[in-house]
Amino acid sequence: MNLTDSALLNSYSLYALYSAMAVYALAFIAFAVDLARRSSAVGAIEAGEVAAVTFSEADPALPAGAAASAGSTRTLERPVLKRPVLSRISARMDNDAALPYGRSSSLRVGVALTVLAWALHLAATVMRGFAADRVPWANMYEFAMTGTLLIMTVFLIVLIRSDLRFLGTFVTGLVLVLLGVAALQFYVEVAPLPPALQSAWLVIHVFVASLGTGLFALGFALSIVQLLQFRRESNVFAASEADAGEPRSALASALRLRFLATLPSSSTLENLSYRINIIGFILWTFTLMAGSIWAEQAWGRYWGWDTKEVWTFIIWVIYAGYIHARATRGWRGSRSAWLSIIGFTAVMFNFGIVNVFFKGLHAYSGL
Amino acid sequence: MAALSRPSDHIDSRPQTPQAGVVQPKLGLSGWLRWFWRQLTSMRTALFLLLMLAIAAVPGSLVPQRSSDPNGVTQYFADNPDLAPALDKLQAFDVYTSAWFSSIYLLLFISLIGCVIPRTKHHFQALRAKPPTTPARLARLSGFTTRDAPAQTDAATAITHARTLLKSSGYRVARFDSAGESSVSAERGYLRETGNLIFHGALVGVLVTVGFGGGYGFSGQRVLVEGQTFVNTLLAYDSFNPGRFFDDTTLDPYTLSLDDFAVAYEQQNLQAYGQPIDFTADVTVTPKGEGAEPGVVKVNGPLRTNGTSIYLLGNGYAPTITVTAPDGTVVFSDSVPFLPQDANLTSLGIVKVPDGLAEQLGMIGFFYPTQDKAASGANFSSYPDLEYPLLTLNVYTGDLGLDGGVPTSVYALVTDTLTRQTGGATGVASIELKPGESAELPNDLGTVSFVDNAPAASAAGDFTQSVPRFASFDIHHDPTQVWLISFSALVLFGLFTGLLVPRRRVWVKATARADGTVHLEYAGLARGDDPALEAAVTAVADRHLKLLKTHQLAVTTPEST
Ligand code: HEM
């Protein structure tokens, strides 16, 4: 490809990227509006003098969700199995919100805009690849562009199977922030690959790492919602226990994020998060191995505790800890959720901080 | 349903019931040891050690490490003279071989082994055991669903079919019959536990291989200028690091020649002008007693030959320099590798001439492949290829310190015992040479020439062939890499199966009602995370009913005709 064509394609790529960001921003707003509507719908039920007790009675999520994972000790610890919940153990996991809430128009708009933005984002990434005549993930700017594209792709694919539309605000927000930083801070012109990066392993290793990052991002978001939901459930539970006392105040505090009542139960969220994180973990394990094979080819040693290697290892160990925590009594639930959150924080740190500020062999930020 | 071999604090294990009256049992030594061992092999400890390992790995990314960045460590000591020695005491510059890091992972692996061995034993037993009896009440279990068997199907027959169906779907089955009620208990997904055990076992394999692997190999470095040849023997290496168990005499003495070293630079894209886009070392390898074979070494493309891997690590220019005594005898003639100092290959090299001149001679040279002058008058290189090469030399005379028997680096000149003759404060201009030029050395020592290597046919002003290049090779031998890759493959296989294969039990129960019809019940139980359990139970029910219906047709059709 000659240079003027390349420059032209690159500028189209930039236009497409900025358009994608604009549409993502609109999608973000639509998703946020949806959450606000959910909150006010929940508020309306509350204002309609639906008693707190009814609220908790209408909350099959608590016990059903807790029991959904066979062998969970929470079933034993929580004395809430009064209702005929056992028949609900087999109920579909995705559908156990306290107050099931249909798809509002703003949610539909949010999803539609996200798909549109994703298409623009894809076009921007592909054009950048053609402009550079190679895979579009050879420096921080390109890696951010492809990585966020994959986060979004994973999200959209997961949407086909489970209704995680309520995460739209988080996912579009995250992608928007990362793309903003990439475009403003990491942007570099198209440059040829230095010999150290000319390898099939660049394609495999980095692609799989980005895919894993996409899954970890969703797992992270679900874990956060899980923690919030758990707090709400505990408060609702406390409120229903304290019937005679002052249930309303406890309830009120529980409803600061009222829309939570329309989301799946904390244990459903936990299970979803776990499933997404274990796939991320398998991909991350592969990333680590592929990286070692590449390091052996490029540097003559498969592992040398280079800063980037250290952080990839740390992330791997944190998620191994997370998987263990899920299997350890006393750690399932909120504690393991914290590990999922710490894990993704480390992933972001590895990408945003280690690449730019730490010294090491992986000097590919292109900055 | 508790997997008894699992650590007692595993989520699927029964909680331990504290026994009344044994508040403080007397523990003998063996009692204490057993207690300690149980603690060490508990899930909680494994988790704790994993998290410790993650935390302990962090400092190594904050402070430079001797293993990966020795210059960084030196710099750190210079920058933080107070802090550095204290950190050094804590082994902060050798984190990954430090006592504390090692003890965490060794404990973790002891815990791992202590955890895996009983589970493996138990798993072998489980593999031979029959699935457990069908629970009395299936209604309490996951995916519970009921069907009515087609007419004229009796309970026993229905269960026979269910058994066949489940068996053909990979379940291990056990059948139970009692008056009026038959059932089949089925279990599948033993591969999940197998995978988990393989995963943990293979981790041990990886650790052991990494731990001992390096001991059986060696790594060595050697710089070769275009045209030079190296024989794979101990003495021929510039530096050589044998593993603990490596026997030097087993080195296979093949020869390696660097025929040509080619670099391609980006010349179109102004954003990346002069950026190298390809390094290719054309080499010839001659195994002992065999014919020569051509080979190529590239970045990312090591040459695997004669049990070794040859990597291309660095490259640069090696100007050919000749020093001639006043009487015309050549006292020095060599292509001297100059170490690159920047992206445009401003390079620094040392020439030492201990014998043949009136005094010992040392020279510090700068080589600029494309020389340019800054406003300050200082030389610099503006492009990495040979566009306008220039060699500058600063001359020192005196004692080179080579006779004391102390090994000295060929890349450094200790100037303490030398007298500077050109450049700096001497008032004598440094020697500046273009390829093919010569200059007189100070003090009538002789002459120095910068030999032009270009073929005679090349056009005037074309310097592209004038200076040979060198490549530095890293030569490795590591017989354990095959093991490492095999264990890694097992780790991945174990992960896939250990995390994704569902382990589940399914029961089908057929009960004869008073009116002669047969009531069918189906239910399942997940053992571990199993999102598809309910769908699977429903599928079993549907397929079973279909089977019964076709069977019924096959039985009834002949009669009705
Ligand atoms: C190097 C240290 C370790 C790492 C990296 C590690 C990693 C993992 C991973 C990734 C899994 C899930 C994969 C699978 O099930 O196949 C897992 C599961 C498991 N690990 Fe480990 N592990 C380590 C040490 C240990 C130790 C010391 C124990 C014993 C206390 C242990 C006991 C278990 C058990 C029981 C499971 C099954 C969890 C479940 O039922 O879901 N692991 N481990």
Side-chain angles (χ1 to χ4, degrees), chain A residues 72-99:
Chain A
S72 161
T73 49
R74 199 182 299 153
T75 337
L76 304 174
E77 288 158 9
R78 284 205 172 175
V80 283
L81 292 172
K82 304 171 246 171
R83 299 183 329 106
V85 287
L86 287 171
S87 62
R88 277 202 50 122
I89 292 174
S90 55
R92 268 187 55 75
M93 306 203 42
D94 295 6
N95 211 5
D96 64 351
L99 294 174

mmCIF file of all heavy atoms in Angstrom, chain A residues 72-99:
data_model
loop_
_atom_site.group_PDB
_atom_site.id
_atom_site.type_symbol
_atom_site.label_atom_id
_atom_site.label_comp_id
_atom_site.label_asym_id
_atom_site.label_seq_id
_atom_site.Cartn_x
_atom_site.Cartn_y
_atom_site.Cartn_z
ATOM 1 N N SER A 72 -24.309 -25.028 48.315
ATOM 2 C CA SER A 72 -23.938 -23.747 48.899
ATOM 3 C C SER A 72 -24.322 -23.734 50.365
ATOM 4 O O SER A 72 -25.417 -24.117 50.740
ATOM 5 C CB SER A 72 -24.666 -22.626 48.166
ATOM 6 O OG SER A 72 -24.673 -21.482 48.971
ATOM 7 N N THR A 73 -23.402 -23.272 51.173
ATOM 8 C CA THR A 73 -23.689 -23.281 52.595
ATOM 9 C C THR A 73 -24.599 -22.140 52.981
ATOM 10 O O THR A 73 -25.140 -22.123 54.057
ATOM 11 C CB THR A 73 -22.405 -23.160 53.413
ATOM 12 O OG1 THR A 73 -21.682 -22.068 52.875
ATOM 13 C CG2 THR A 73 -21.618 -24.430 53.353
ATOM 14 N N ARG A 74 -24.732 -21.175 52.051
ATOM 15 C CA ARG A 74 -25.568 -20.058 52.421
ATOM 16 C C ARG A 74 -26.988 -20.528 52.675
ATOM 17 O O ARG A 74 -27.706 -19.958 53.481
ATOM 18 C CB ARG A 74 -25.532 -19.002 51.333
ATOM 19 C CG ARG A 74 -25.990 -17.669 51.868
ATOM 20 C CD ARG A 74 -26.003 -16.630 50.789
ATOM 21 N NE ARG A 74 -24.677 -16.436 50.262
ATOM 22 C CZ ARG A 74 -24.457 -16.013 49.041
ATOM 23 N NH1 ARG A 74 -25.467 -15.761 48.250
ATOM 24 N NH2 ARG A 74 -23.242 -15.832 48.616
ATOM 25 N N THR A 75 -27.400 -21.532 51.951
ATOM 26 C CA THR A 75 -28.733 -22.079 52.157
ATOM 27 C C THR A 75 -28.917 -22.465 53.612
ATOM 28 O O THR A 75 -29.968 -22.289 54.195
ATOM 29 C CB THR A 75 -28.917 -23.359 51.315
ATOM 30 O OG1 THR A 75 -28.001 -23.293 50.252
ATOM 31 C CG2 THR A 75 -30.324 -23.481 50.837
ATOM 32 N N LEU A 76 -27.844 -22.972 54.182
ATOM 33 C CA LEU A 76 -27.937 -23.412 55.565
ATOM 34 C C LEU A 76 -27.871 -22.226 56.508
ATOM 35 O O LEU A 76 -28.554 -22.187 57.520
ATOM 36 C CB LEU A 76 -26.793 -24.370 55.882
ATOM 37 C CG LEU A 76 -26.718 -25.576 54.949
ATOM 38 C CD1 LEU A 76 -25.471 -26.382 55.251
ATOM 39 C CD2 LEU A 76 -27.974 -26.412 55.096
ATOM 40 N N GLU A 77 -27.056 -21.271 56.144
ATOM 41 C CA GLU A 77 -26.839 -20.178 57.076
ATOM 42 C C GLU A 77 -28.019 -19.221 57.156
ATOM 43 O O GLU A 77 -28.184 -18.520 58.125
ATOM 44 C CB GLU A 77 -25.592 -19.404 56.656
ATOM 45 C CG GLU A 77 -24.325 -20.177 56.927
ATOM 46 C CD GLU A 77 -23.173 -19.712 56.076
ATOM 47 O OE1 GLU A 77 -23.303 -18.684 55.389
ATOM 48 O OE2 GLU A 77 -22.148 -20.398 56.093
ATOM 49 N N ARG A 78 -28.788 -19.192 56.070
ATOM 50 C CA ARG A 78 -29.856 -18.211 56.062
ATOM 51 C C ARG A 78 -31.195 -18.834 56.371
ATOM 52 O O ARG A 78 -31.668 -19.677 55.629
ATOM 53 C CB ARG A 78 -29.934 -17.594 54.676
ATOM 54 C CG ARG A 78 -28.848 -16.629 54.455
ATOM 55 C CD ARG A 78 -29.383 -15.735 53.440
ATOM 56 N NE ARG A 78 -28.488 -14.621 53.256
ATOM 57 C CZ ARG A 78 -28.710 -13.735 52.327
ATOM 58 N NH1 ARG A 78 -29.736 -13.870 51.525
ATOM 59 N NH2 ARG A 78 -27.898 -12.731 52.212
ATOM 60 N N PRO A 79 -31.816 -18.395 57.391
ATOM 61 C CA PRO A 79 -33.068 -19.027 57.792
ATOM 62 C C PRO A 79 -34.248 -18.487 56.996
ATOM 63 O O PRO A 79 -35.223 -18.034 57.568
ATOM 64 C CB PRO A 79 -33.172 -18.636 59.268
ATOM 65 C CG PRO A 79 -32.492 -17.295 59.317
ATOM 66 C CD PRO A 79 -31.450 -17.286 58.262
ATOM 67 N N VAL A 80 -34.176 -18.483 55.708
ATOM 68 C CA VAL A 80 -35.259 -17.865 54.954
ATOM 69 C C VAL A 80 -36.008 -18.878 54.108
ATOM 70 O O VAL A 80 -36.759 -18.539 53.226
ATOM 71 C CB VAL A 80 -34.718 -16.768 54.022
ATOM 72 C CG1 VAL A 80 -34.418 -15.532 54.814
ATOM 73 C CG2 VAL A 80 -33.506 -17.264 53.276
ATOM 74 N N LEU A 81 -35.807 -20.141 54.382
ATOM 75 C CA LEU A 81 -36.420 -21.146 53.518
ATOM 76 C C LEU A 81 -37.854 -21.480 53.941
ATOM 77 O O LEU A 81 -38.256 -22.631 53.944
ATOM 78 C CB LEU A 81 -35.565 -22.414 53.509
ATOM 79 C CG LEU A 81 -34.213 -22.248 52.839
ATOM 80 C CD1 LEU A 81 -33.366 -23.480 53.056
ATOM 81 C CD2 LEU A 81 -34.390 -21.979 51.369
ATOM 82 N N LYS A 82 -38.581 -20.428 54.292
ATOM 83 C CA LYS A 82 -39.925 -20.712 54.773
ATOM 84 C C LYS A 82 -40.869 -21.004 53.605
ATOM 85 O O LYS A 82 -41.746 -21.825 53.680
ATOM 86 C CB LYS A 82 -40.485 -19.516 55.543
ATOM 87 C CG LYS A 82 -39.618 -19.067 56.689
ATOM 88 C CD LYS A 82 -40.137 -17.741 57.241
ATOM 89 C CE LYS A 82 -39.118 -16.657 56.984
ATOM 90 N NZ LYS A 82 -39.553 -15.337 57.273
ATOM 91 N N ARG A 83 -40.635 -20.249 52.537
ATOM 92 C CA ARG A 83 -41.572 -20.371 51.424
ATOM 93 C C ARG A 83 -41.230 -21.584 50.564
ATOM 94 O O ARG A 83 -40.151 -22.134 50.681
ATOM 95 C CB ARG A 83 -41.523 -19.098 50.601
ATOM 96 C CG ARG A 83 -41.942 -17.888 51.447
ATOM 97 C CD ARG A 83 -41.970 -16.627 50.628
ATOM 98 N NE ARG A 83 -41.004 -16.611 49.547
ATOM 99 C CZ ARG A 83 -41.351 -16.763 48.279
ATOM 100 N NH1 ARG A 83 -42.601 -16.942 47.952
ATOM 101 N NH2 ARG A 83 -40.432 -16.726 47.372
ATOM 102 N N PRO A 84 -42.141 -21.987 49.732
ATOM 103 C CA PRO A 84 -41.874 -23.174 48.921
ATOM 104 C C PRO A 84 -40.864 -22.871 47.820
ATOM 105 O O PRO A 84 -41.146 -22.987 46.638
ATOM 106 C CB PRO A 84 -43.251 -23.503 48.329
ATOM 107 C CG PRO A 84 -43.955 -22.193 48.265
ATOM 108 C CD PRO A 84 -43.469 -21.411 49.447
ATOM 109 N N VAL A 85 -39.716 -22.469 48.264
ATOM 110 C CA VAL A 85 -38.725 -22.031 47.286
ATOM 111 C C VAL A 85 -38.048 -23.218 46.621
ATOM 112 O O VAL A 85 -37.478 -23.099 45.561
ATOM 113 C CB VAL A 85 -37.646 -21.183 47.938
ATOM 114 C CG1 VAL A 85 -38.197 -19.838 48.269
ATOM 115 C CG2 VAL A 85 -37.087 -21.872 49.127
ATOM 116 N N LEU A 86 -38.080 -24.353 47.280
ATOM 117 C CA LEU A 86 -37.285 -25.450 46.755
ATOM 118 C C LEU A 86 -37.694 -25.834 45.345
ATOM 119 O O LEU A 86 -36.868 -26.221 44.529
ATOM 120 C CB LEU A 86 -37.373 -26.652 47.696
ATOM 121 C CG LEU A 86 -36.573 -26.378 48.959
ATOM 122 C CD1 LEU A 86 -36.824 -27.456 49.990
ATOM 123 C CD2 LEU A 86 -35.103 -26.300 48.626
ATOM 124 N N SER A 87 -38.954 -25.682 45.068
ATOM 125 C CA SER A 87 -39.380 -26.007 43.716
ATOM 126 C C SER A 87 -38.803 -25.000 42.726
ATOM 127 O O SER A 87 -38.817 -25.211 41.533
ATOM 128 C CB SER A 87 -40.895 -25.998 43.635
ATOM 129 O OG SER A 87 -41.340 -24.693 43.928
ATOM 130 N N ARG A 88 -38.326 -23.906 43.269
ATOM 131 C CA ARG A 88 -37.806 -22.873 42.380
ATOM 132 C C ARG A 88 -36.318 -23.037 42.132
ATOM 133 O O ARG A 88 -35.735 -22.290 41.365
ATOM 134 C CB ARG A 88 -38.061 -21.498 42.995
ATOM 135 C CG ARG A 88 -39.446 -20.986 42.725
ATOM 136 C CD ARG A 88 -39.451 -19.491 42.865
ATOM 137 N NE ARG A 88 -38.367 -18.921 42.081
ATOM 138 C CZ ARG A 88 -38.555 -18.043 41.120
ATOM 139 N NH1 ARG A 88 -39.750 -17.647 40.839
ATOM 140 N NH2 ARG A 88 -37.527 -17.552 40.474
ATOM 141 N N ILE A 89 -35.726 -23.998 42.775
ATOM 142 C CA ILE A 89 -34.294 -24.172 42.593
ATOM 143 C C ILE A 89 -33.985 -24.307 41.110
ATOM 144 O O ILE A 89 -32.995 -23.829 40.607
ATOM 145 C CB ILE A 89 -33.804 -25.421 43.342
ATOM 146 C CG1 ILE A 89 -33.936 -25.164 44.823
ATOM 147 C CG2 ILE A 89 -32.388 -25.757 42.980
ATOM 148 C CD1 ILE A 89 -33.630 -26.360 45.656
ATOM 149 N N SER A 90 -34.924 -24.962 40.447
ATOM 150 C CA SER A 90 -34.650 -25.231 39.050
ATOM 151 C C SER A 90 -35.066 -24.087 38.143
ATOM 152 O O SER A 90 -34.938 -24.175 36.946
ATOM 153 C CB SER A 90 -35.385 -26.495 38.643
ATOM 154 O OG SER A 90 -36.751 -26.332 38.951
ATOM 155 N N ALA A 91 -35.587 -23.024 38.720
ATOM 156 C CA ALA A 91 -36.028 -21.906 37.886
ATOM 157 C C ALA A 91 -34.849 -21.352 37.096
ATOM 158 O O ALA A 91 -33.704 -21.474 37.494
ATOM 159 C CB ALA A 91 -36.627 -20.811 38.755
ATOM 160 N N ARG A 92 -35.152 -20.756 35.982
ATOM 161 C CA ARG A 92 -34.063 -20.221 35.171
ATOM 162 C C ARG A 92 -33.296 -19.158 35.945
ATOM 163 O O ARG A 92 -33.862 -18.284 36.567
ATOM 164 C CB ARG A 92 -34.615 -19.617 33.890
ATOM 165 C CG ARG A 92 -34.643 -20.641 32.769
ATOM 166 C CD ARG A 92 -35.023 -20.008 31.449
ATOM 167 N NE ARG A 92 -34.150 -18.885 31.106
ATOM 168 C CZ ARG A 92 -32.908 -19.022 30.667
ATOM 169 N NH1 ARG A 92 -32.376 -20.211 30.545
ATOM 170 N NH2 ARG A 92 -32.192 -17.960 30.348
ATOM 171 N N MET A 93 -31.983 -19.271 35.863
ATOM 172 C CA MET A 93 -31.161 -18.429 36.709
ATOM 173 C C MET A 93 -31.272 -16.954 36.376
ATOM 174 O O MET A 93 -31.206 -16.112 37.241
ATOM 175 C CB MET A 93 -29.708 -18.841 36.554
ATOM 176 C CG MET A 93 -29.525 -20.298 36.813
ATOM 177 S SD MET A 93 -27.868 -20.624 37.268
ATOM 178 C CE MET A 93 -27.520 -19.304 38.347
ATOM 179 N N ASP A 94 -31.459 -16.667 35.112
ATOM 180 C CA ASP A 94 -31.391 -15.259 34.705
ATOM 181 C C ASP A 94 -32.614 -14.475 35.136
ATOM 182 O O ASP A 94 -32.686 -13.291 34.940
ATOM 183 C CB ASP A 94 -31.293 -15.177 33.193
ATOM 184 C CG ASP A 94 -30.011 -15.776 32.702
ATOM 185 O OD1 ASP A 94 -29.278 -16.341 33.539
ATOM 186 O OD2 ASP A 94 -29.753 -15.686 31.514
ATOM 187 N N ASN A 95 -33.579 -15.188 35.651
ATOM 188 C CA ASN A 95 -34.879 -14.571 35.747
ATOM 189 C C ASN A 95 -35.334 -14.432 37.182
ATOM 190 O O ASN A 95 -36.503 -14.563 37.482
ATOM 191 C CB ASN A 95 -35.847 -15.478 34.980
ATOM 192 C CG ASN A 95 -36.954 -14.665 34.382
ATOM 193 O OD1 ASN A 95 -36.928 -13.443 34.483
ATOM 194 N ND2 ASN A 95 -37.923 -15.337 33.795
ATOM 195 N N ASP A 96 -34.414 -14.194 38.090
ATOM 196 C CA ASP A 96 -34.840 -14.207 39.479
ATOM 197 C C ASP A 96 -34.747 -12.831 40.130
ATOM 198 O O ASP A 96 -34.457 -12.715 41.296
ATOM 199 C CB ASP A 96 -34.052 -15.250 40.278
ATOM 200 C CG ASP A 96 -32.584 -14.913 40.333
ATOM 201 O OD1 ASP A 96 -32.177 -13.971 39.620
ATOM 202 O OD2 ASP A 96 -31.843 -15.567 41.079
ATOM 203 N N ALA A 97 -35.002 -11.805 39.354
ATOM 204 C CA ALA A 97 -34.999 -10.468 39.936
ATOM 205 C C ALA A 97 -36.149 -10.336 40.933
ATOM 206 O O ALA A 97 -37.181 -10.978 40.781
ATOM 207 C CB ALA A 97 -35.142 -9.424 38.840
ATOM 208 N N ALA A 98 -35.937 -9.494 41.945
ATOM 209 C CA ALA A 98 -36.978 -9.284 42.939
ATOM 210 C C ALA A 98 -38.220 -8.684 42.275
ATOM 211 O O ALA A 98 -39.339 -9.109 42.522
ATOM 212 C CB ALA A 98 -36.463 -8.361 44.037
ATOM 213 N N LEU A 99 -37.996 -7.686 41.433
ATOM 214 C CA LEU A 99 -39.091 -7.060 40.707
ATOM 215 C C LEU A 99 -38.760 -7.136 39.232
ATOM 216 O O LEU A 99 -38.140 -6.231 38.696
ATOM 217 C CB LEU A 99 -39.230 -5.591 41.107
ATOM 218 C CG LEU A 99 -39.645 -5.306 42.534
ATOM 219 C CD1 LEU A 99 -39.581 -3.820 42.808
ATOM 220 C CD2 LEU A 99 -41.045 -5.831 42.763
#
